[in-house]
Amino acid sequence: MSGGGKKGKGGRKVRVEFRRNRGKRTRRNDLTRDVGRDGDLDRFAQGERVSGKGELSRRRTVVVAEGDDGTPLRDIDTDGLTLGLVVSAVGLHAFVEPFVEDADGRVVPTTGETYECTVRRVLRTLARDGRNAVVTGDHVLVRVTAPAQGDDPPQAVIERVEPRRGVISRLHHNREHVIAANVDQAAIVTAAADPPLKPGLIDRFVASCERNRVRPLIVINKVDLVPRDRRGGLAEIALRYHRLGYPVVPASVPDGRGVDRLRRLLAGRVTVFSGQSGVGKSSLLNAVHDGLGLKTSEVSGVTGKGTHTTRRAVAMPLPPDARVIDTPGIRQFDLWGEDAGELEAYFVEFRPFIPHCRFPDCTHTHETGCAVKQAVEDGLIAKPRYESYVRMFEGDD
Ligand code: GDP
Ligand code: ZN
């Protein structure tokens, strides 16, 4: 793969501070010796003199290109590097699967191997927030440093993270925590019953998607648990989101309802999957692709207690051409942060009314002359949606 020409918009200068002594690497072998040849960043990082100030200066200005999301893109020689997809990442370690992009820009896995990777420290320095340096779903360039040996997977070093699009993130104390990158859509799985349907949760999810500019997909599973003559409430909820332009998929695993439609909606896309435990996420994904063999609660226990539940996001392939990012750590897809002031923009049906509020800084909660509240009264905005807005605005859970 040659990504040398892929530099994003213009270049900018970034002050990068390196630690001179990075300590001993735990895994070092002969194949890592040419690791610095792609540029002088690494040599500098290892303490080489690069400025007139000699060894006292540990800073250097490097010119880097910038990705679409403003993250600096490391300008390196991409010869000998392999394009890979991060299937899971924690700190400076990640598992990466090599892939090529087809004509439509879709990810096609190549070798079927998984590389165990470390991340160049400089990437952490270049990232706006070091914790987000490499995340699940990232497209990266890796340098293979050791082939597979016995049970050990091949080893590699992540040299560059390609610009991200469709990031799922959570705001926490005003810092962005990126959960997954290069996401096309996000699905929330809810249950019609057992556990009971909570529209407030869907509203939080949808608002988070709007903030992340990722298409939401709402699945209402376990429809079989609600008798036919008592599905009026369900229909009303489904219609509410359908009217807002969000796809709603009523589903039921035992009778296969909604499974084909879900499969079509997932095809060729990367989808973050989320929802409370016990709603049937694993069962549904198993139904969509019967070779998947995900453990369901019957096996692992509904609470997940006593089982190994990982908090990291994992990108798994859903053959033939879909990928699902499972986020066990965010059971309720509670990506909502503290940016209450922007909240109104994420309730799409409020948008036409907001300019008509008497006060330009109207929060649509206590003000007089509020066009949003008037629209709720007139039946133009669904009351439960407005109530969700108020709860989120006030920071209630
Ligand atoms: P997850 O925690 O979201 O992955 O949920 P699971 O897939 O493990 O399912 C939780 C429980 O709900 C299991 O006992 C499933 O058999 C059951 N279940 C899943 N989908 C359905 C459904 O559509 N209808 C009914 N009645 N039960 C379901
Ligand atoms: Zn208002």
Side-chain angles (χ1 to χ4, degrees), residues 344 350 354 357 359 361-367 370-373 386 389-390:
E344 59 177 25
F350 290 14
I354 291 168
C357 293
F359 306 107
D361 58 352
C362 184
T363 65
H364 327 300
T365 52
H366 61 273
E367 294 88 347
C370 171
V372 171
K373 283 200 284 185
Y386 175 71
Y389 167 82
V390 173

Side-chain angles (χ1 to χ4, degrees), residues 32-47:
T32 59
R33 68 175 175 250
D34 66 346
V35 129
R37 86 188 146 95
D38 55 81
D40 50 14
L41 278 175
D42 300 296
R43 289 204 298 277
F44 182 72
Q46 280 151 22

Side-chain angles (χ1 to χ4, degrees), residues 221-222 224-225 252-254 276-283 296-298:
N221 190 33
K222 303 199 189 184
D224 59 287
L225 294 182
S252 163
V253 174
Q276 284 178 288
S277 83
V279 292
K281 291 184 297 296
S282 316
S283 309
T296 62
S297 300
E298 274 157 349

Side-chain angles (χ1 to χ4, degrees), residues 203 206-208 210-212 246 336 339 342-349 351 385:
D203 291 329
V206 166
S208 306
E210 293 288 345
R211 182 170 72 78
N212 284 286
Y246 303 127
W336 193 251
D339 48 357
E342 291 174 15
L343 186 57
E344 59 177 25
Y346 308 137
F347 279 73
V348 283
E349 72 272 47
R351 290 176 190 169
R385 288 274 297 165

Side-chain angles (χ1 to χ4, degrees), residues 2-32:
S2 167
K6 218 175 168 184
K7 284 188 185 170
K9 324 165 197 153
R12 76 178 165 104
K13 290 183 176 184
V14 178
R15 285 301 264 184
V16 184
E17 191 158 7
F18 294 109
R19 261 188 248 158
R20 261 179 83 204
N21 192 347
R22 296 195 291 175
K24 290 210 164 48
R25 294 204 198 154
T26 43
R27 285 196 99 109
R28 184 150 212 170
N29 61 46
D30 283 338
L31 289 163
T32 59

Side-chain angles (χ1 to χ4, degrees), residues 95-96 113-117 144-149 151-156:
F95 288 101
V96 170
E113 293 185 290
T114 304
Y115 299 146
E116 190 178 350
C117 296
V144 180
T145 54
Q149 259 175 352
D151 286 344
D152 281 350
Q155 308 288 307

